[in-house]
Amino acid sequence: MDPKRELSSIDLAALVTELRRYEGAKVDKAYLYGDDLLRLKMRDFDRGRVELLVEVGDVKRAHVAAAEHVPDAPGRPPNFAKMLRNRLSGADFAGVEQFEFDRILVFRFERPDADTEIVAELFGQGNVAVLDENREVVSSLSTVRLKSRTVAPGSQYEFPNSRVNPLDVRYEAFAHKMDDSDTDVVRTLATQLNLGGLYAEEVCSRAGVEKTLDIADAGDEQYEKLYDALGRLRDQLTQGEFDPRVYLEDDAVVDVTPFSLEEHESEGLDAEAYDSFNEALDEYFYRLDRSDDDGSGGSGAAGDTGRPDFEEEIEKKKRIVEQQEGAISGFDEQAQEERERAEQVYARYDLVNEILTTIRGAREQGVPWDEIGEKFEEGKEQGIDAAEAVRGVDGANGTVTVALDDTTVTLDVSMGVEKNADRLYKEAKRVEEKKEGALEAIENTREQLEALEKRREEWEADDEDEAADDDEDDEREEIDWLSRESVPIRQQDHWFERFRWFRTSDDFLVIGGRNADQNEELVKKYLGKGDLFFHTQARGGPVTILKATGPSEPARDVEIPERSREEAAQFAVSYASVWKEGRFAEDAYMVTHDQVSKTPESGEYVEKGSFVIRGDRTYYRDVKAEVAVGIACEPETRVVGGPPSAIEPQAETSIRVRPGRYAQNDMAQMCYRELRKRFADQSFVRKVASADKIQEFLPPGGSEIVE
């Protein structure tokens, strides 16, 4: 028989009972492998390390895995994993539920700043959606837009339509479902009662009812036996009375179940017993994955250490780009249509005003909406222009739809002509703003596509292992890059590299301006909701923005750790005029994005690169002017620079500098010579860390090395 690759609704009901034992565990980190395997690394007070795996691809599963069954951490985390780390780091695992009797699990996480839900859809194409405390979709692995439901960033999450729960149905409803069928008993249980084939057969076996019995020949006697067998199955699940089994055929795993099945026993399958269903699931899918790696098919996501499937990923990114380009084109068309509607409202001002005035007058006299619609229909028969233009009235929403030349417009009856037109213009502007966000998203996808294509070329040219573990706590062999004779170069271009930048210890991006023009650009284009703005108390500092989210993620409030805020403050001080002046410390302040404005008070003037700050400020006193510059080898090979507490763990080796007597270009040469001496592969240093590249991370002014 073919091996099981997806968990059933009954499997999930049993799994939920066991996963609740891990409530209270704290989340350390999130990983995403490919586009379908999610890993949450947690710590439990009693059990220690807890590894939760959720897979929604060809294999659909969820369980806690043994440490030796967990795949090595992937390289540079994708935006989805970064978003999860920002939302879940330090959060408590608050519980898990199965949605009704569907193959959907809802994992809940709590943190003082915000709660998060992860919805794992283990059916159909599979999906993972991340929801905020209002059940709004923050992000999802796949976007779903159907007539029945939508799963997309910014939308309210919608579950699929409810299904009959065979474990919770009353006998009368059960018998009614059976009577309505026109097939045999087992197929009725499998489809009408949503048991699925295997457990439908198991219920028949436990009830002693022939599974091929035609429904027309079945009656209350058989129904009662089947219903009683269902009840016993329900009791096992609700009371946690499991007797887990992994079934094998010719020494290969083929099924895993929360209790022994008479159906499998009768088929002569070998069985292995386990203490918990979760343990059985872990062992089953680990062995299934290993058999897939041996050539029997499947994704092999957890254990694949060979060449990545670049072609599939590249094609996927290309499809995403095409979809995004189509969406952008749709935004243009939609915005143009809204403008044309607004212009038509003005062009037919008298007609529109007559329709709106007529309806408002009728409503003021208490005329029901239905009668108003009938009056317009009568007016059409009489050839009245205003009536002929009306296509329908909607009392529930207080609107009227009218035909104006080649377009139809829905108008708010409570507003006049001008306000209706203005509403349409605003809608056009809102659509254009969505287009701006889509343009940033498509640029990010193109960057990812270029990076994939570059990585593919590197694999074809050099068979060196590029896997990089970005989690220093993982138990993996450390690579001594300094002693390595040949260091492979792995780089990609990023949108923020033309600014000053670094990543904090908590992996938040910080960007700063190099001049007045960039200061203006950063605030106007890149300062968004949830971001934090930093500046020195003294004049002459760069605009510094601590980004809460990436450019392709929807803006939202994110709790940024104090450590990252302090590093951003040190960044603002270190690249300010205080360094040129030879001072070793300065005060910095922090405000939220909505406190920064370019609009001065009456009679005042704000010069280029400067801004007005309104409201209270959070101050960081006597912040040390000091930076580190170094070379990172994982996940990319490049120069990095910024606050020492952030840079030194990221770099393979680094140098600290402070204000001093050596000019910026001389200090860059000194750092270059020192870094080159530390690597056995000196040609690698020349390629990725020239003096010019190092100079980009040094503050303007004199410097000296901190011994």
Side-chain angles (χ1 to χ4, degrees):
M1 62 183 291
D2 292 333
K4 176 183 198 168
R5 309 187 75 82
E6 299 181 4
L7 297 183
S8 69
S9 295
I10 286 180
D11 295 334
L12 294 181
L15 176 64
V16 163
T17 300
E18 293 191 351
L19 287 181
R20 287 173 178 161
R21 300 169 187 169
Y22 296 95
E23 290 180 10
K26 283 196 176 295
V27 180
D28 280 338
K29 215 157 195 179
Y31 303 85
L32 182 66
Y33 301 79
D35 58 2
D36 57 21
L37 176 58
L38 177 66
R39 168 189 165 200
L40 295 182
K41 182 179 178 181
M42 301 187 288
R43 286 174 289 111
D44 183 80
F45 181 77
D46 296 319
R47 298 175 178 84
R49 178 176 170 183
V50 177
E51 297 281 4
L52 176 64
L53 301 183
V54 178
E55 190 169 6
V56 293
D58 292 336
V59 170
K60 295 180 176 64
R61 55 165 170 158
H63 58 84
V64 169
E68 60 270 21
H69 292 172
V70 174
D72 290 340
R76 182 176 182 269
N79 287 335
F80 189 86
K82 290 181 181 178
M83 173 274 300
L84 276 177
R85 293 178 185 184
N86 288 340
R87 292 192 67 90
L88 297 183
S89 180
D92 293 326
F93 174 43
V96 58
E97 303 289 342
Q98 179 183 18
F99 172 68
E100 297 184 348
F101 192 66
D102 217 327
R103 287 180 290 166
I104 298 176
L105 294 181
V106 181
F107 297 89
R108 294 183 290 108
F109 300 89
E110 295 178 352
R111 206 168 65 177
D113 58 319
D115 296 341
T116 301
E117 289 185 352
I118 295 179
V119 182
E121 299 181 352
L122 302 169
F123 64 90
Q125 298 299 313
N127 199 7
V128 172
V130 181
L131 317 182
D132 64 15
E133 57 269 25
N134 299 315
R135 300 192 65 79
E136 185 175 293
V137 179
V138 176
S139 185
S140 58
L141 292 181
S142 300
T143 298
V144 178
R145 297 188 187 277
L146 304 171
K147 288 184 178 180
S148 58
R149 64 192 294 255
T150 298
V151 180
S155 68
Q156 286 293 121
Y157 179 79
E158 301 176 69
F159 286 106
N161 293 331
S162 299
R163 306 193 311 161
V164 172
N165 183 346
L167 305 180
D168 197 33
V169 68
R170 296 173 62 86
Y171 177 77
E172 293 77 8
F174 171 81
H176 180 70
K177 281 285 186 183
M178 299 294 285
D179 286 337
D180 279 351
S181 176
D182 58 359
T183 183
D184 55 28
V185 168
V186 70
R187 293 180 185 175
T188 302
L189 291 171
T191 58
Q192 301 301 312
L193 275 299
N194 299 314
L195 271 174
L198 175 62
Y199 284 101
E201 292 182 352
E202 180 66 15
V203 167
C204 289
S205 296
R206 293 188 179 191
V209 174
E210 176 56 47
K211 59 186 179 184
T212 59
L213 178 68
D214 195 286
I215 283 292
D217 299 326
D220 286 340
E221 180 182 354
Q222 288 78 21
Y223 290 175
E224 289 173 359
K225 289 181 179 179
L226 293 168
Y227 189 74
D228 182 61
L230 271 176
R232 295 196 303 274
L233 187 63
R234 178 190 61 238
D235 292 342
Q236 281 185 275
L237 289 170
T238 56
Q239 296 170 18
E241 296 176 355
F242 306 144
D243 185 17
R245 293 287 190 274
V246 169
Y247 288 97
L248 303 93
E249 184 177 54
D250 298 329
D251 295 327
V253 294
V254 291
D255 202 0
V256 55
T257 60
F259 20 68
S260 61
L261 300 186
E262 293 182 16
E263 279 297 301
H264 283 344
E265 305 288 339
S266 65
E267 293 170 358
L269 295 179
D270 294 328
E272 296 177 354
Y274 288 83
D275 293 334
S276 72
F277 185 42
N278 187 88
E279 183 184 352
L281 286 170
D282 180 32
E283 183 64 24
Y284 174 83
F285 282 108
Y286 177 69
R287 286 156 70 174
L288 175 67
D289 188 66
R290 291 178 65 188
S291 67
D292 286 343
D293 288 343
D294 290 339
S296 61
S299 63
D304 187 2
T305 58
R307 183 185 190 277
D309 189 353
F310 289 116
E311 285 69 25
E312 180 179 346
E313 287 296 309
I314 287 172
E315 287 304 314
K316 180 180 178 181
K317 294 297 182 188
K318 288 180 177 178
R319 289 196 298 272
I320 293 174
V321 169
E322 291 176 1
Q323 293 169 358
Q324 291 172 327
E325 288 174 340
I328 290 171
S329 175
F331 289 145
D332 286 334
E333 294 175 3
Q334 186 180 350
Q336 182 60 28
E337 288 173 358
E338 295 298 336
R339 281 200 186 83
E340 290 176 356
R341 290 189 178 99
E343 290 165 1
Q344 284 295 325
V345 168
Y346 274 124
R348 304 296 299 278
Y349 188 102
D350 292 340
L351 176 68
V352 173
N353 187 53
E354 181 182 351
I355 294 171
L356 293 174
T357 303
T358 299
I359 297 175
R360 279 201 299 271
R363 290 297 297 155
E364 289 170 1
Q365 295 175 17
V367 179
W369 284 95
D370 291 344
E371 289 188 19
I372 293 174
E374 293 171 0
K375 290 291 184 183
F376 277 116
E377 291 299 322
E378 293 174 4
K380 289 179 184 179
E381 296 176 359
Q382 299 170 18
I384 299 174
D385 290 344
E388 290 179 344
V390 174
R391 291 293 179 267
V393 293
D394 182 353
N397 295 306
T399 60
V400 58
T401 301
V402 299
L404 303 176
D405 292 341
D406 296 329
T407 187
T408 58
V409 183
T410 299
L411 304 167
D412 188 331
V413 174
S414 67
M415 299 179 179
V417 178
E418 294 86 353
K419 287 188 176 181
N420 269 291
D422 184 58
R423 177 176 58 82
L424 293 168
Y425 279 125
K426 286 181 178 177
E427 177 62 17
K429 185 177 180 181
R430 186 188 69 80
V431 172
E432 287 178 335
E433 289 173 352
K434 287 177 64 177
K435 176 188 172 184
E436 290 300 315
L439 286 171
E440 286 192 4
I442 196 173
E443 184 62 29
N444 186 61
T445 306
R446 284 173 176 153
E447 285 184 6
Q448 295 173 359
L449 176 60
E450 290 174 5
L452 276 170
E453 291 173 335
K454 191 169 184 178
R455 284 187 62 211
R456 178 177 62 181
E457 293 172 3
E458 291 170 356
W459 267 86
E460 292 170 350
D462 186 354
D463 196 29
E464 300 220 29
D465 180 19
E466 292 184 22
D469 183 359
D470 56 44
D471 184 354
E472 61 189 25
D473 295 329
D474 279 352
E475 300 172 358
R476 301 181 61 196
E477 180 184 356
E478 292 291 333
I479 299 175
D480 184 0
W481 294 108
L482 297 178
S483 302
R484 192 161 176 170
E485 293 298 326
S486 176
V487 180
I489 297 175
R490 299 185 296 274
Q491 285 186 350
Q492 67 180 83
D493 295 329
H494 300 283
W495 64 270
F496 48 77
E497 288 183 278
R498 60 193 182 90
F499 304 109
R500 295 195 184 280
W501 68 275
F502 80 99
R503 289 195 176 275
T504 72
S505 299
D506 304 294
D507 203 30
F508 287 89
L509 175 66
V510 175
I511 48 180
R514 295 182 181 275
N515 50 48
D517 287 334
Q518 286 197 349
N519 285 347
E520 290 274 335
E521 182 182 2
L522 285 173
V523 170
K524 290 180 178 179
K525 187 173 181 181
Y526 294 103
L527 182 61
K529 181 181 178 182
D531 296 345
L532 298 177
F533 176 98
F534 292 79
H535 205 275
T536 53
Q537 181 66 4
R539 293 174 59 85
V543 161
T544 299
I545 298 174
L546 200 170
K547 295 291 296 176
T549 55
S552 63
E553 299 175 24
R556 62 187 184 279
D557 291 327
V558 173
E559 181 61 30
I560 299 174
E562 183 62 25
R563 176 175 59 176
S564 289
R565 300 179 186 215
E566 292 172 353
E567 289 170 349
Q570 186 175 23
F571 179 86
V573 167
S574 297
Y575 292 96
S577 58
V578 297
W579 192 286
K580 281 185 179 180
E581 297 165 2
R583 292 192 282 131
F584 293 95
E586 175 60 271
D587 294 344
Y589 66 83
M590 176 190 76
V591 295
T592 56
H593 75 285
D594 53 355
Q595 293 179 253
V596 184
S597 172
K598 190 67 178 174
T599 305
E601 299 295 338
S602 178
E604 295 181 354
Y605 170 74
V606 178
E607 63 185 27
K608 188 175 186 179
S610 298
F611 303 90
V612 177
I613 307 297
R614 295 186 172 90
D616 295 335
R617 309 178 185 191
T618 300
Y619 282 92
Y620 294 84
R621 303 294 186 184
D622 294 323
V623 178
K624 184 184 292 188
E626 189 174 80
V627 302
V629 291
I631 300 175
C633 296
E634 298 179 281
E636 294 183 43
T637 47
R638 60 168 60 249
V639 178
V640 290
S645 62
I647 297 305
E648 288 173 351
Q650 298 173 20
E652 183 66 23
T653 184
S654 62
I655 299 170
R656 281 199 192 194
V657 299
R658 64 189 176 196
R661 59 194 177 93
Y662 297 102
Q664 188 187 47
N665 60 333
D666 293 336
M667 178 53 60
Q669 289 288 348
M670 294 168 64
C671 290
Y672 166 69
R673 287 193 292 269
E674 176 60 28
L675 291 171
R676 191 177 63 177
K677 286 192 300 184
R678 298 180 184 182
F679 280 86
D681 183 3
Q682 295 191 358
S683 65
F684 158 75
V685 181
R686 287 197 299 270
K687 293 174 184 176
V688 304
S690 65
D692 289 341
K693 292 179 180 178
I694 291 173
Q695 187 171 339
E696 292 181 4
F697 290 90
L698 292 173
S703 302
E704 65 182 21
I705 294 176
V706 179
E707 299 297 339

